[in-house]
Amino acid sequence: MTIRLRTRAHVFWRCLFLQAAWNRRGMQNLGFAYAIEPALDALYEDPVRREEALARHLGFFNCHPYMAAAILGGAIHHEERVAAGEEPGAAPLSYKATLQGPLAAVGDGFFWTALRPFFGAMAALGALVAGWPAVVAAVLLYNLVHFTLRAVLFGAGYRQGDAVVGVIANLALPRVAEHLRSAGVALCGAAAAAVALRASGVAPGTENAAVLVVAAAAGAGYLALAKGTPLFPAAYLVALSGTIMAAVTGWDGRP
Amino acid sequence: MIPLVRVDNRLLHGQVLEAWMPRLGATTVVVADDEAALSPLARAAMTLCVPCEIPARIEKLAAVDFAALADSTAVVLLLVRDVAGLVEATTRGLTPARAPLLNLGNVHFATGRRPVTPSVYLTGEELEALKRLAAAGFRIEARAVPTEAPVGLDELERRYAAAR
């Protein structure tokens, strides 16, 4: 039997809370079991089989929270076959165990190290140019992309089961990520230049000095990162220096 | 050379690809695991997540030629699923001279396991096996990502004894 769209939507809604009960022993296990529960309720009328199904989804699970939507969809795909007697109860578990690591790696690489920094940089530059509404717009855009991908992954997992891997391969996320990273870096550079030029505008006659400082900071930053300085301390140091510079040059932060 | 052999229940995932591979400057990743090698789904998924410039090999443990990996100019990160896989690898040619450092990354909780780090839960038998590997000359550490401080075997033993 197949479960109704309404039930699948319910599961999708619950998968947004995948990490709400994150714990060291099972990591996202409780979140996963909670999310898939409406589907299991629909598939198993016998309370004993229903309990058994829910219990098997309480085992260890950890993945990228967005990519996990594909696995959740695929787990329902397999549970439908288990309920129909076509597959053993271990089938959804082996599906989860096999895909959680590789999809986590894809998700970390695409969402955490490319898409989110890109929209963060866009928000920073937008705030300098257009003020706070740009930050709201960047958050909305980010989530539009994120929710669309989550829904696509969930649907592909449910309909295609194991073939979801091919669907994800066709999205070419690592290649898109490369472009997003380059674009994000360019946006960061533009934001830094905007800060310095604004500061120089407040104190007349400092435009040339500002351009030099921006160039020196960009050069020093590149060298430091190329020599293996950790990214986060370097980024915080740069942000702190920028704030101090803005204070010294008398920029009050208003666009 | 094999600068690191890692025990990870999830085999290839973000911590390995985003943190360890760049830190080690690894040019090849070898997954030595029978279950993964025999599963078309696992092979497809792992191929998907590894950047195309880094060759990923997924082989049955018995098929891995540790001597050739150690002698090659490639910088190899070797992954096994559990401590048992590590022990089996040492019976099939993995020696301290070929791979001096064994890393416990993620060993998930199960009944009877005790926590020794936030991501590693060991059984008594596994701890004994690790002590034998250390006696054989391997260096053993536990940490999930390279930015954490490594926890040595003595400390793991102490934590195991203190855990309930």
Side-chain angles (χ1 to χ4, degrees):
Chain A
M1 78 176 270
T2 55
I3 58 167
R4 292 184 305 164
L5 178 65
R6 197 187 141 79
T7 309
R8 299 205 302 270
H10 193 185
V11 172
F12 182 74
W13 165 251
R14 285 192 174 194
C15 94
L16 303 181
F17 304 98
L18 184 70
Q19 310 213 82
W22 199 93
N23 62 92
R24 280 179 175 173
R25 285 190 176 183
M27 296 199 180
Q28 297 165 342
N29 65 334
L30 288 171
F32 195 98
Y34 174 72
I36 202 169
E37 191 191 11
L40 301 179
D41 286 350
L43 285 172
Y44 300 99
E45 281 187 3
D46 174 12
V48 176
R49 284 195 77 195
R50 184 185 292 183
E51 194 181 320
E52 183 191 322
L54 188 59
R56 68 172 158 254
H57 286 288
L58 278 171
F60 179 93
F61 183 76
N62 202 41
C63 191
H64 186 283
Y66 305 169
M67 299 301 292
I71 302 182
L72 195 52
I76 299 174
H77 174 99
H78 281 290
E79 283 294 349
E80 284 181 352
R81 280 145 189 82
V82 176
E86 295 163 11
E87 283 183 3
L93 296 189
S94 123
Y95 183 80
K96 286 166 69 179
T98 302
L99 288 186
Q100 59 179 320
L103 294 199
V106 172
D108 285 352
F110 180 75
F111 291 104
W112 290 171
T113 75
L115 191 72
R116 203 164 58 169
F118 171 81
F119 279 103
M122 186 186 265
L125 181 61
L128 287 165
V129 175
W132 66 265
V135 178
V136 177
V139 171
L140 289 177
L141 272 176
Y142 171 78
N143 282 299
L144 181 69
V145 177
H146 141 222
F147 274 113
T148 306
L149 276 172
R150 258 197 191 191
V152 166
L153 290 169
F154 181 72
Y158 173 69
R159 277 187 301 276
Q160 311 214 25
D162 292 9
V164 75
V165 173
V167 175
I168 296 170
N170 285 338
L171 291 173
L173 295 178
R175 215 175 54 228
V176 180
E178 278 302 315
H179 293 305
L180 283 172
R181 278 186 212 114
S182 310
V185 169
L187 287 173
C188 283
V195 168
L197 291 176
R198 247 170 226 293
S200 69
V202 176
T206 57
E207 291 88 348
N208 290 339
V211 171
L212 277 178
V213 168
V214 170
Y222 174 77
L223 284 178
L225 291 177
K227 280 184 181 278
T229 307
L231 178 62
F232 280 110
Y236 284 123
L237 185 68
V238 167
L240 186 67
S241 326
T243 312
I244 293 170
M245 253 173 53
V248 169
T249 53
W251 178 43
D252 63 3
R254 277 199 293 256
Chain B
M1 59 186 277
I2 311 174
L4 191 77
V5 181
R6 177 175 167 96
V7 179
D8 198 317
N9 288 174
R10 276 182 286 162
L11 298 173
L12 266 181
H13 59 107
Q15 288 174 0
V16 175
L17 287 165
E18 300 291 337
W20 281 106
M21 300 288 288
R23 167 61 72 100
L24 296 167
T27 55
T28 301
V29 57
V30 175
V31 177
D33 186 71
D34 295 0
E35 197 183 320
L38 294 172
S39 154
L41 182 64
R43 299 181 72 94
M46 286 185 187
T47 311
L48 174 73
C49 75
V50 178
C52 34
E53 67 271 17
I54 294 177
R57 285 162 44 186
I58 301 140
E59 293 177 3
K60 289 177 74 171
L61 213 147
V64 179
D65 186 344
F66 297 105
L69 290 179
D71 292 341
S72 81
T73 52
V75 181
V76 179
L77 171 58
L78 181 71
L79 284 168
V80 294
R81 190 185 292 271
D82 44 28
V83 175
L86 205 54
V87 172
E88 196 190 333
T90 60
T91 65
R92 293 181 182 277
L94 190 75
T95 61
R98 289 172 178 156
L101 183 58
L102 309 180
N103 164 266
L104 301 172
N106 289 287
V107 183
H108 301 145
F109 174 77
T111 310
R113 290 181 175 276
R114 297 186 191 174
V116 290
T117 77
S119 65
V120 177
Y121 295 77
L122 292 179
T123 64
E125 295 80 55
E126 285 172 343
L127 192 65
E128 289 307 315
L130 290 169
K131 279 156 76 175
R132 282 194 295 276
L133 292 177
F138 288 101
R139 198 148 54 84
I140 290 165
E141 60 155 51
R143 57 175 157 170
V145 288
T147 46
E148 290 174 9
V151 180
L153 188 59
D154 292 346
E155 177 65 14
L156 293 178
E157 270 191 86
R158 201 189 58 73
R159 290 185 187 178
Y160 182 85
R164 282 283 162 262

